[in-house]
Amino acid sequence: RIMRPDDANIAGNVHGGTILKMIEEAGAIISTRHCNSQAGEPCVAALARVERTDFLSPMCIGEVANVSAEITYTSRHSVEVQVNVMSENILTGAKKLTNKATLWYVPLSLKNVNKVLEVPPIQYTRKEQEDEGKKRYEEQKLDRLETKQRNGDVIFPIINPELHTVGYSQSSLIHLVGPSDCTLLGFVHGGVTMKLMDEVAGIVAARHCKTNIVTASVDAINFHEKIKKGCVITISGRMTFTSNKSMEIEVFVDADPFVDEPRERYRAVSAFFTYVSLSKEGKPLPVPQLLTETEDEKRRFEEGKGRYLQTKAKRQAQMQQAAQQ
Amino acid sequence: RIMRPDDANIAGNVHGGTILKMIEEAGAIISTRHCNSQAGEPCVAALARVERTDFLSPMCIGEVANVSAEITYTSRHSVEVQVNVMSENILTGAKKLTNKATLWYVPLSLKNVNKVLEVPPIQYTRKEQEDEGKKRYEEQKLDRLETKQRNGDVIFPIINPELHTVGYSQSSLIHLVGPSDCTLLGFVHGGVTMKLMDEVAGIVAARHCKTNIVTASVDAINFHEKIKKGCVITISGRMTFTSNKSMEIEVFVDADPFVDEPRERYRAVSAFFTYVSLSKEGKPLPVPQLLTETEDEKRRFEEGKGRYLQTKAKRQAQMQQAAQQ
Amino acid sequence: RIMRPDDANIAGNVHGGTILKMIEEAGAIISTRHCNSQAGEPCVAALARVERTDFLSPMCIGEVANVSAEITYTSRHSVEVQVNVMSENILTGAKKLTNKATLWYVPLSLKNVNKVLEVPPIQYTRKEQEDEGKKRYEEQKLDRLETKQRNGDVIFPIINPELHTVGYSQSSLIHLVGPSDCTLLGFVHGGVTMKLMDEVAGIVAARHCKTNIVTASVDAINFHEKIKKGCVITISGRMTFTSNKSMEIEVFVDADPFVDEPRERYRAVSAFFTYVSLSKEGKPLPVPQLLTETEDEKRRFEEGKGRYLQTKAKRQAQMQQAAQQ
């Protein structure tokens, strides 16, 4: 579809969250279709995880987004989908790869949302495809367990914070879950949640550097808990790390089932977003250093630095590999 | 994309206007891409006309709409696009043709909106394709001239109207044109206008028969006049004709360039929509007869009857032809 | 227009904020049209104030909202508009008055947003109309000065609050101002701001009483400061008073012009919203008493009680007057 002014910031760059939402919708369609392809209990595929994804080039108002999705692996209870987004300038015909994403879906019964159904297996053209898929499946399973434990943290409000401290830019947003946010099962689409997360992370980044910012990448996101229609969700973000030209922001989503539900507020999702600051010509700008004050902030900064260096090393290894081939 | 609750009426049937909007967006993308395919002045394709289109089967919330578009003819200054919409139930895998539409676009220069550019010709696989396209082109050209003359009529409000009279159900809606309603040229997308027209026509139909109604067809619509960002548009609808099971509604769109423009209010578009009334099981219900009072109403009723009988005769001829083949 | 699922809460009642937004749009259109009716500098009418408005009966999904607007007074630099909203059930034909609102607009030059232009005078049919309008004009002028001084207050976050305290239900929301939120001048529509205020106030009310709630009334709102496209706005709400069956919530809107602007965060608007809690049958439910802890909270509770008793007395006087006529 054509990108509209409402999809973009005032510099005309399409929000990363808008792209994540399109990706998730494409993934939900292809995996729901696949899981219902054999006669049996009808089901809806629910997003369980999105792998780390990089935004390779910014998309602009007036460009057309081409989204294509393919199922690349199936385990007994989950489906791996690969989604590619190309941006196309229909005036010049120029096309660019905007990003590639890998998503994991789980089929939930339409009659009983707590029942996970079996996934019909796909055919692989080569045996290695299945083996590599299985390896990816095992890796993400491990990683999901890890984040499940990390989920307890809370963002405390800070009064009169100093410029460039964590407290200065931290932000939160509440949203009442409406019918258009939900799947047929009455639970929030993963894509809607990611769009709101990107919105908060973008405000944190803009408050910190007061310039035009764009989403550079999103770390793997695990959806451990569903969010029901009628909930109020609180999305909070705080900056954890800055390199010379990038900012890492941690985002939490908490759900409050406040009408007709005995349940307490719970943590539904958390994730790390990375942003860069762009000049009017689209060049990356230096980012003000984050000032850490408490022990926790210093620890999180070091952890962020670890993730940053790891990603950098991985990318260099890939480039060397590509150069050798 | 997946159909959401906001795309549908309270019975869960997707609004005809939502489908028209998707069709027009697909047509605008493919024709803008084609018109810019040769190096030259960049341009945006603007909707000039939509041929009569029938809604063959209702689409529901949760279904996926598959929209495909193809260029079928090019004249020197216009492009004919054929768009098909399939609704897919991704739970059962069932697919149905929802409607086929034919749209005409004209390339307007990005630098000078009043300049119509030349269209690169397409290749035809058979000579007859070109001849048939040319015939369609000439026919629509004639028809466009005709509606241009018809455009003067105005809907007057009626106080305390009787049930089932024209005045009882006539309705109007005003809308302030915002940035997301517009193309890169700053003019309203034809699809946005058609969606609003369908909304008003639907209210007229529901007021008349007080049941669940769905769009059955839309007569050819000609877009003679562009509507600029910042205008206020008034969309008015009145019933012109009822058969036993259908209602015909005439819709007018008037634009008011009320800030910064010396121009008076003008008629931008007008069209006929046909609705049917459906029972809870999706069966067509009888429609109350429209009570005509004035001479003009009686004349419009007869004209509507003429269109109704002509369409019916055409459809029967097609079915006979199909049966003979 | 027809009320959609996204316009309403999960019980099907249309949000007060949706109605306020429609009212403001109608007012902006009629007053901008009037102020441009004489040749002169083109201008856009900006909302300066909304008088107290009561929501007389809830509107539901599927109903049609009929909004009518009329200019009732003009001073040299401002326009008073009276807007009525009727809800119509198009299936039964039943119509109800939903609310009446009075709004004040000021014409700002399209070329220079800081220049207030002169308003063309309207014709009054009776001399008393002009005198009464002038009285209303003077009254609102006084009231605007008052709230301008009150505007300094800030909502501090509270950690681990007790149930039914002020801290327990207080909420805030951030919103990045996009192009669709803005007028031709690039400033936020008053109606968009009111919709967000109602959203926050509604969440505060629902958190307090954990039932289905609806907007009962909104006190006069003064728009002292414009909010520019690209700002981040923080909307915060806290409960100030509860009677047996109603809750009063104070809402603040703060704007942060964080990109390319030297200006500090500033208070743009503040207002009081009153909510009631409804049972499934639509009957008012008792509301849990608000627990006040600090001196400030106790003072605000007493002030809220004052407003509540004053409104009650006024309403009784009006009913007696009506009974005597």
Side-chain angles (χ1 to χ4, degrees):
Chain A
R1 68 178 186 82
I2 304 178
M3 295 295 112
R4 291 183 293 249
D6 276 3
D7 297 322
N9 62 23
I10 40 173
N13 298 126
V14 172
H15 296 297
T18 301
I19 299 171
L20 290 170
K21 194 169 173 231
M22 287 188 296
I23 288 174
E24 201 273 323
E25 185 164 350
I29 291 174
I30 196 173
S31 51
T32 300
R33 185 190 283 152
H34 176 75
C35 294
N36 287 287
S37 61
Q38 288 182 355
E41 217 172 316
C43 63
V44 172
L47 182 66
R49 176 180 165 91
V50 181
E51 299 292 349
R52 178 191 164 78
T53 176
D54 291 303
F55 290 81
L56 306 172
S57 65
M59 205 185 283
C60 296
I61 297 174
E63 291 186 343
V64 173
N66 290 301
V67 182
S68 57
E70 189 194 0
I71 295 180
T72 42
Y73 180 75
T74 51
S75 76
R76 198 170 161 205
H77 290 300
S78 66
V79 181
E80 186 199 49
V81 182
Q82 172 91 42
V83 182
N84 290 345
V85 182
M86 304 280 296
S87 69
E88 178 190 359
N89 182 326
I90 48 175
L91 302 186
T92 64
K95 282 185 191 187
K96 281 181 302 186
L97 184 66
T98 302
N99 58 359
K100 280 183 178 187
T102 305
L103 301 96
W104 295 88
Y105 287 86
V106 170
L108 304 178
S109 163
L110 196 58
K111 286 168 207 153
N112 173 4
V113 71
N114 295 313
K115 188 173 163 195
V116 178
L117 300 182
E118 296 209 1
V119 174
I122 57 164
Q123 302 299 330
Y124 301 93
T125 48
R126 289 174 299 115
K127 178 76 174 72
E128 299 95 79
Q129 287 182 329
E130 186 168 0
D131 295 343
E132 285 162 21
K134 182 149 196 176
K135 209 178 129 204
R136 290 193 302 271
Y137 170 72
E138 298 295 349
E139 276 173 8
Q140 61 90 24
K141 213 169 156 182
L142 263 178
D143 187 84
R144 292 185 64 182
L145 283 175
E146 245 170 69
T147 59
K148 209 162 183 172
Q149 280 148 9
R150 177 165 60 91
N151 266 340
D153 215 347
V154 170
I155 294 186
F156 286 106
I158 279 132
I159 315 231
N160 292 326
E162 292 287 308
L163 187 68
H164 298 149
T165 58
V166 175
Y168 183 81
S169 58
Q170 74 183 25
S171 304
S172 79
L173 181 157
I174 50 178
H175 175 74
L176 181 62
V177 175
S180 288
D181 300 329
C182 292
T183 66
L184 282 180
L185 290 167
F187 292 97
V188 178
H189 278 291
V192 169
T193 310
M194 290 193 286
K195 187 165 187 289
L196 289 166
M197 292 170 88
D198 176 68
E199 199 173 324
V200 167
I203 290 174
V204 172
R207 276 187 167 153
H208 182 76
C209 63
K210 297 181 189 302
T211 52
N212 179 39
I213 50 89
V214 297
T215 317
S217 69
V218 182
D219 247 39
I221 309 181
N222 294 304
F223 293 81
H224 293 299
E225 297 270 6
K226 295 185 286 286
I227 305 169
K228 208 176 165 179
K229 186 161 76 184
C231 278
V232 168
I233 51 180
T234 305
I235 303 110
S236 335
R238 68 172 166 215
M239 198 164 285
T240 44
F241 167 74
T242 49
S243 73
N244 288 339
K245 298 207 172 159
S246 72
M247 300 161 272
E248 188 196 58
I249 292 123
E250 186 170 21
V251 183
F252 300 106
V253 179
D254 295 301
D256 241 328
F258 67 109
V259 176
D260 278 344
E261 285 262 350
R263 202 175 169 190
E264 285 289 293
R265 171 191 272 233
Y266 59 94
R267 172 69 36 94
V269 198
S270 74
F272 292 102
F273 283 72
T274 300
Y275 280 77
V276 291
S277 163
L278 292 185
S279 71
K280 273 174 192 161
E281 294 73 36
K283 292 263 164 67
L285 291 175
V287 164
Q289 168 93 356
L290 180 67
L291 301 179
T292 53
E293 296 173 313
T294 68
E295 282 313 304
D296 278 346
E297 287 173 10
K298 288 182 208 302
R299 178 181 50 72
R300 284 196 297 265
F301 191 93
E302 289 307 315
E303 290 169 2
K305 196 175 191 170
R307 282 185 293 271
Y308 170 76
L309 293 174
Q310 209 182 342
T311 307
K312 208 172 162 181
K314 232 183 243 173
R315 204 179 304 148
Q316 283 175 343
Q318 282 172 351
M319 280 168 76
Q320 277 179 4
Q321 219 176 10
Q324 283 165 5
Q325 281 171 355
Chain B
R1 67 178 187 81
I2 303 178
M3 294 295 113
R4 290 184 293 249
D6 267 14
D7 297 324
N9 62 22
I10 40 176
N13 298 128
V14 172
H15 295 297
T18 302
I19 299 170
L20 289 171
K21 195 171 171 228
M22 288 188 296
I23 287 174
E24 200 274 322
E25 185 165 350
I29 291 174
I30 195 172
S31 50
T32 300
R33 185 190 283 151
H34 176 75
C35 293
N36 287 286
S37 61
Q38 289 183 353
E41 217 172 315
C43 63
V44 172
L47 182 65
R49 177 179 165 92
V50 181
E51 297 292 347
R52 178 191 164 79
T53 175
D54 291 304
F55 291 81
L56 306 171
S57 63
M59 203 184 284
C60 297
I61 296 174
E63 291 186 343
V64 173
N66 290 300
V67 182
S68 58
E70 188 194 359
I71 294 180
T72 43
Y73 180 74
T74 52
S75 75
R76 197 169 161 205
H77 290 299
S78 66
V79 181
E80 187 199 50
V81 182
Q82 173 91 40
V83 182
N84 290 345
V85 183
M86 304 279 296
S87 69
E88 179 189 359
N89 182 326
I90 49 176
L91 303 185
T92 64
K95 283 185 192 187
K96 279 181 304 187
L97 184 66
T98 302
N99 57 0
K100 282 184 177 184
T102 305
L103 302 95
W104 294 87
Y105 287 86
V106 170
L108 304 179
S109 163
L110 196 59
K111 286 168 207 154
N112 173 5
V113 72
N114 295 314
K115 189 173 163 196
V116 178
L117 300 181
E118 295 209 2
V119 174
I122 58 164
Q123 301 298 331
Y124 301 94
T125 50
R126 289 174 300 114
K127 177 74 173 73
E128 300 94 80
Q129 286 182 328
E130 187 169 0
D131 295 343
E132 285 163 19
K134 181 150 197 174
K135 208 177 130 202
R136 290 194 301 272
Y137 170 73
E138 299 295 346
E139 277 173 8
Q140 61 91 23
K141 214 170 155 182
L142 263 178
D143 187 84
R144 292 184 64 183
L145 283 175
E146 246 170 69
T147 59
K148 210 162 182 174
Q149 280 148 8
R150 178 164 59 90
N151 267 341
D153 216 346
V154 170
I155 295 185
F156 287 105
I158 279 132
I159 319 260
N160 293 324
E162 292 287 308
L163 187 68
H164 297 149
T165 58
V166 176
Y168 182 81
S169 58
Q170 73 182 26
S171 305
S172 75
L173 182 156
I174 50 176
H175 175 73
L176 182 62
V177 175
S180 286
D181 299 329
C182 293
T183 65
L184 282 180
L185 290 167
F187 291 96
V188 178
H189 278 291
V192 170
T193 310
M194 289 194 286
K195 188 165 187 290
L196 290 166
M197 292 170 89
D198 177 67
E199 198 172 328
V200 168
I203 292 175
V204 173
R207 276 185 168 154
H208 182 77
C209 64
K210 300 182 188 304
T211 52
N212 179 39
I213 51 89
V214 297
T215 317
S217 69
V218 182
D219 246 39
I221 308 181
N222 294 304
F223 293 81
H224 294 298
E225 297 271 6
K226 296 186 286 285
I227 305 169
K228 208 175 165 180
K229 186 160 76 183
C231 278
V232 168
I233 50 180
T234 305
I235 303 109
S236 338
R238 69 174 164 213
M239 197 163 287
T240 44
F241 168 74
T242 51
S243 72
N244 289 337
K245 296 205 174 161
S246 72
M247 298 161 274
E248 187 196 60
I249 293 125
E250 185 170 21
V251 183
F252 300 106
V253 180
D254 295 301
D256 238 329
F258 69 124
V259 177
D260 205 20
E261 286 261 349
R263 203 174 167 188
E264 287 288 295
R265 171 192 271 234
Y266 59 94
R267 173 71 35 94
V269 198
S270 74
F272 292 102
F273 284 71
T274 299
Y275 280 76
V276 291
S277 163
L278 291 185
S279 71
K280 274 176 191 159
E281 296 73 37
K283 290 265 165 67
L285 291 175
V287 163
Q289 167 93 356
L290 180 67
L291 302 181
T292 52
E293 296 173 312
T294 68
E295 282 312 303
D296 278 345
E297 287 172 12
K298 287 182 209 301
R299 179 183 47 76
R300 284 195 297 265
F301 191 93
E302 288 308 314
E303 290 169 1
K305 195 173 190 172
R307 282 183 294 270
Y308 170 76
L309 293 174
Q310 209 184 340
T311 306
K312 208 172 162 182
K314 234 184 240 173
R315 204 179 305 147
Q316 284 175 342
Q318 282 171 351
M319 282 169 74
Q320 276 179 4
Q321 219 176 9
Q324 282 165 5
Q325 280 171 354
Chain C
R1 66 181 188 78
I2 301 182
M3 294 295 110
R4 292 183 292 245
D6 277 3
D7 297 324
N9 61 23
I10 40 174
N13 297 128
V14 173
H15 297 297
T18 301
I19 300 171
L20 289 171
K21 194 169 172 237
M22 288 189 296
I23 287 174
E24 201 274 322
E25 185 166 345
I29 290 173
I30 195 174
S31 50
T32 299
R33 187 186 283 151
H34 176 74
C35 294
N36 286 286
S37 60
Q38 288 184 352
E41 218 173 315
C43 62
V44 172
L47 182 65
R49 175 179 165 92
V50 182
E51 298 292 346
R52 178 192 166 79
T53 175
D54 292 303
F55 291 81
L56 305 172
S57 63
M59 205 184 284
C60 296
I61 297 175
E63 291 186 343
V64 172
N66 290 299
V67 182
S68 57
E70 188 194 358
I71 295 179
T72 42
Y73 181 74
T74 52
S75 75
R76 198 169 161 204
H77 290 300
S78 66
V79 181
E80 187 199 49
V81 182
Q82 172 91 41
V83 182
N84 290 346
V85 183
M86 304 279 296
S87 68
E88 178 189 357
N89 182 325
I90 46 177
L91 302 185
T92 63
K95 284 186 189 184
K96 280 181 302 185
L97 183 67
T98 302
N99 57 1
K100 282 184 178 185
T102 305
L103 302 95
W104 294 87
Y105 288 86
V106 170
L108 304 179
S109 164
L110 196 59
K111 287 169 206 152
N112 173 5
V113 72
N114 295 314
K115 188 173 162 196
V116 178
L117 300 182
E118 295 209 2
V119 174
I122 57 164
Q123 301 299 330
Y124 302 95
T125 49
R126 289 176 298 113
K127 179 73 174 73
E128 297 94 80
Q129 287 183 330
E130 185 168 2
D131 295 342
E132 284 162 20
K134 182 150 197 174
K135 210 178 129 202
R136 291 193 301 273
Y137 169 72
E138 298 295 347
E139 277 173 8
Q140 61 91 22
K141 213 169 155 182
L142 262 177
D143 187 83
R144 293 185 63 184
L145 284 175
E146 249 171 65
T147 58
K148 207 160 185 176
Q149 281 147 9
R150 176 164 61 90
N151 267 342
D153 216 347
V154 169
I155 294 188
F156 287 105
I158 279 133
I159 308 200
N160 292 327
E162 293 287 308
L163 186 68
H164 298 151
T165 58
V166 175
Y168 182 81
S169 57
Q170 73 182 27
S171 304
S172 78
L173 183 157
I174 49 177
H175 175 73
L176 180 62
V177 175
S180 288
D181 300 328
C182 293
T183 65
L184 283 180
L185 289 167
F187 292 96
V188 178
H189 278 292
V192 170
T193 311
M194 290 193 286
K195 189 166 186 290
L196 290 165
M197 293 169 89
D198 178 68
E199 199 172 324
V200 168
I203 290 173
V204 172
R207 277 187 167 153
H208 182 77
C209 63
K210 297 181 188 303
T211 53
N212 178 38
I213 51 88
V214 297
T215 317
S217 68
V218 182
D219 247 38
I221 308 180
N222 294 304
F223 293 81
H224 294 299
E225 297 269 8
K226 295 185 286 285
I227 304 169
K228 207 175 165 179
K229 186 161 75 184
C231 279
V232 168
I233 50 179
T234 306
I235 303 108
S236 337
R238 68 174 165 213
M239 197 164 287
T240 44
F241 168 73
T242 50
S243 71
N244 288 339
K245 298 206 172 160
S246 73
M247 298 162 273
E248 188 197 58
I249 293 124
E250 185 170 20
V251 183
F252 300 106
V253 180
D254 294 300
D256 241 327
F258 67 106
V259 177
D260 280 343
E261 284 261 350
R263 202 176 168 186
E264 286 289 294
R265 172 191 272 232
Y266 59 94
R267 173 70 36 93
V269 198
S270 73
F272 292 102
F273 283 72
T274 300
Y275 281 77
V276 291
S277 162
L278 291 186
S279 70
K280 275 174 188 160
E281 295 74 36
K283 289 265 164 68
L285 292 173
V287 163
Q289 167 92 357
L290 179 68
L291 301 180
T292 52
E293 295 173 313
T294 68
E295 282 311 304
D296 278 345
E297 287 173 11
K298 287 183 210 302
R299 180 182 47 76
R300 285 196 295 265
F301 192 92
E302 289 307 314
E303 290 170 0
K305 196 174 190 171
R307 282 185 293 271
Y308 170 74
L309 294 174
Q310 208 182 341
T311 306
K312 208 172 162 181
K314 233 184 241 173
R315 204 180 302 148
Q316 284 174 341
Q318 282 171 350
M319 283 169 75
Q320 277 179 4
Q321 218 175 11
Q324 282 166 3
Q325 283 171 351

